[in-house]
Amino acid sequence: MTGPSADGLRDRTVIVTGGARGLGAAAARAAAAAGARVLLTDLREKEGRAVARELGGRARFVRHDVTSEDDWRAVADLASRTYGGVDGLVNNAGISGGSHALEEQTAEAFRRVVDIDLTGVFLGLRTVIPVMRAHGGGSVVNVSSAAGLMGLARTAGYGAAKWGVRGLTKIAAVELAADRIRVNSVHPGMIHTPMTAHLGIPDGEGGYPAAPLGRVGTPEEIARAVVFLLSDASSYVTGAELAVDGGWTTGPVLTTPFKEDRRCPST
Ligand code: NAD
């Protein structure tokens, strides 16, 4: 299996939020491997600095709360001053908010997950778009979820936020196309990261039968899709929703085959 193109993001500046671990760290590594300068941001300073160190001169860490407009302004200013602009934005930071039946989720918990997972993406677009526009265009990748493509039980706040990210992506794609800014969403399925570690889903074939491909995904499999959408390899793709989920949202895996005698007589 091949990795991302070695120079598909050469000389591009890419901001990756939530880059300290999990999918964000994998996206930062893959973007740097494809030649980008990466500004990785997160609340987790120690882990974020460690990822930036590992990437050497290619990456820089900035502490950043995606719910803070002031923090977003500081990140956009830093990118402009240091790198002369921004070519790519990966709105990846997020929380799951835990698993609750709808009526057990408090309004406070619902607001918190929407604030981080949806308003954080809106603030990122609002703040970074002018910098991208001034730089001649760019590509935004919003990390939604399989939960933004289907009704996943016990995810009222998270699922609503991720459906919101999918919708916001399409609005931004239409509004910003004339500025040569492409905006797409990625919808990871069940992926092994610190966010999902507590679920105890086994690695490897057969570990995740809900997905037709039968296993959980890896952060690198998501990162390859992110790099594709950031790079010119996807130059005619905007407003798209790219599910990278082993087929989880495509349809249920049939556990009981249909019997011949239950078929419609005309078939
Ligand atoms: P993770 O918990 O491993 O990493 C998320 C990162 O976001 C953490 O480093 C955290 O500190 C950071 N973060 C949280 N709140 C923040 C804030 N307010 N400001 C800045 N940073 C903040 O999770 P992950 O699995 O890597 O998830 C990354 C993204 O992918 C999330 O948006 C998540 O919803 C989405 N996703 C993950 C999966 C999965 O199976 N892991 C599936 C679908 C979607």
Side-chain angles (χ1 to χ4, degrees):
M1 206 176 289
T2 54
S5 149
D7 63 357
L9 297 177
R10 192 193 321 191
D11 295 330
R12 307 275 169 93
T13 299
V14 176
I15 298 172
V16 180
T17 70
R21 67 181 201 182
L23 301 188
R29 289 187 183 106
R37 292 176 291 259
V38 180
L39 201 51
L40 68 99
T41 83
D42 205 294
L43 289 173
R44 293 172 191 275
E45 298 195 41
K46 198 166 154 235
E47 286 142 287
R49 286 190 203 292
V51 176
R53 253 195 319 277
E54 173 200 320
L55 298 177
R58 292 227 154 272
R60 180 164 175 174
F61 171 78
V62 187
R63 190 191 183 282
H64 169 209
D65 180 346
V66 294
T67 66
S68 158
E69 203 160 1
D70 287 346
D71 278 11
W72 269 112
R73 266 191 224 105
V75 169
D77 287 351
L78 180 73
S80 300
R81 271 186 283 114
T82 315
Y83 304 117
V86 178
D87 306 285
L89 168 63
V90 184
N91 278 312
N92 163 81
I95 59 166
S96 74
S99 166
H100 311 276
L102 198 149
E103 75 273 28
E104 282 164 11
Q105 183 155 42
T106 63
E108 189 189 6
F110 185 93
R111 285 194 190 103
R112 180 170 140 72
V113 68
V114 169
D115 199 25
I116 296 171
D117 291 11
L118 177 57
T119 312
V121 174
F122 165 71
L123 292 177
L125 285 165
R126 206 174 122 67
T127 325
V128 176
I129 285 316
V131 180
M132 239 180 213
R133 183 186 288 122
H135 200 50
S139 171
V140 179
V141 181
N142 293 328
V143 180
S144 174
S145 170
L149 292 169
M150 62 177 168
L152 191 60
R154 303 180 70 85
T155 70
Y158 182 78
K162 294 300 188 180
W163 275 80
V165 169
R166 177 184 173 201
L168 184 59
T169 299
K170 296 190 191 305
I171 293 162
V174 173
E175 285 193 20
L176 300 171
D179 295 316
R180 305 172 64 84
I181 297 172
R182 297 182 297 107
V183 190
N184 294 286
S185 56
V186 167
H187 298 258
M190 187 60 75
I191 315 296
H192 267 160
T193 69
M195 182 184 274
T196 55
H198 69 283
L199 299 173
I201 298 171
D203 266 328
E205 300 304 324
Y208 195 61
L213 288 183
R215 62 171 177 85
V216 290
T218 66
E220 292 70 30
E221 287 174 311
I222 305 303
R224 285 200 290 271
V226 170
V227 168
F228 165 69
L229 290 172
L230 287 173
S231 76
D232 294 343
S234 59
S235 53
Y236 202 51
V237 182
T238 197
E241 47 198 55
L242 178 51
V244 189
D245 64 354
W248 188 18
T249 56
T250 304
V253 177
L254 286 182
T255 47
T256 319
F258 292 120
K259 287 196 178 137
E260 273 309 303
D261 60 4
R262 284 200 199 137
R263 286 211 184 137
C264 171
S266 63
T267 60

